[in-house]
Amino acid sequence: MVLAPTEPASAVLPSCGGATYVNWGWERPATGGIPTTQLGDGNTNCTMTVGLTSYGVYFLQVALRQCYGQSIAADAQFGYNTREALRNAQRIHRIPDDGVYGPQTRDTINWASSVGCNSFDA
């Protein structure tokens, strides 16, 4: 009997269609953003890949630019340059460098804020 391969967990998550502002505690409110399923809903269990356009993509691009020095546009469009920039960040953190954003990437990469870069659980 041959078993079919299972889909990765991120494949069954909804797309990150929005973002929510995060207060990291030691800075003024609304200074950093994290991708969410809808604008401001707080559900960060979502996925992003090539072809998506959203506020979530914008905040990911800002983080990749500010925290990882990636030369990409912050235009809210997840294209091939964003995918390669994300793969670079994933390699830095030694997580699977598939260029797909999901919960493991969310929890691992640093996010831009007014006072620097923070991890999601800061």
Side-chain angles (χ1 to χ4, degrees), residues 30-88:
T31 55
I34 299 288
T36 55
T37 56
Q38 295 178 27
L39 189 59
D41 75 352
N43 181 0
T44 61
N45 287 318
C46 54
T47 186
M48 294 185 284
T49 191
V50 172
L52 183 66
T53 300
S54 73
Y55 286 112
V57 174
Y58 170 78
F59 281 109
L60 174 63
Q61 290 169 328
V62 169
L64 293 170
R65 288 169 52 97
Q66 292 183 6
C67 301
Y68 297 94
Q70 299 296 301
S71 298
I72 57 171
D75 59 5
Q77 297 177 32
F78 199 123
Y80 294 105
N81 290 335
T82 299
R83 181 183 68 185
E84 291 308 308
L86 180 58
R87 289 185 71 207
N88 289 336

Side-chain angles (χ1 to χ4, degrees), residues 1-26:
M1 178 178 188
V2 177
L3 297 176
T6 58
E7 284 187 286
S10 61
V12 297
L13 294 174
S15 292
C16 302
T20 191
Y21 287 99
V22 175
N23 179 357
W24 269 278
W26 32 262

Side-chain angles (χ1 to χ4, degrees), residues 86-97 104 108-109:
L86 180 58
R87 289 185 71 207
N88 289 336
Q90 289 169 326
R91 279 192 286 272
I92 288 169
H93 292 285
R94 296 190 172 125
I95 61 174
D97 63 336
Q104 183 179 22
T108 305
I109 68 170

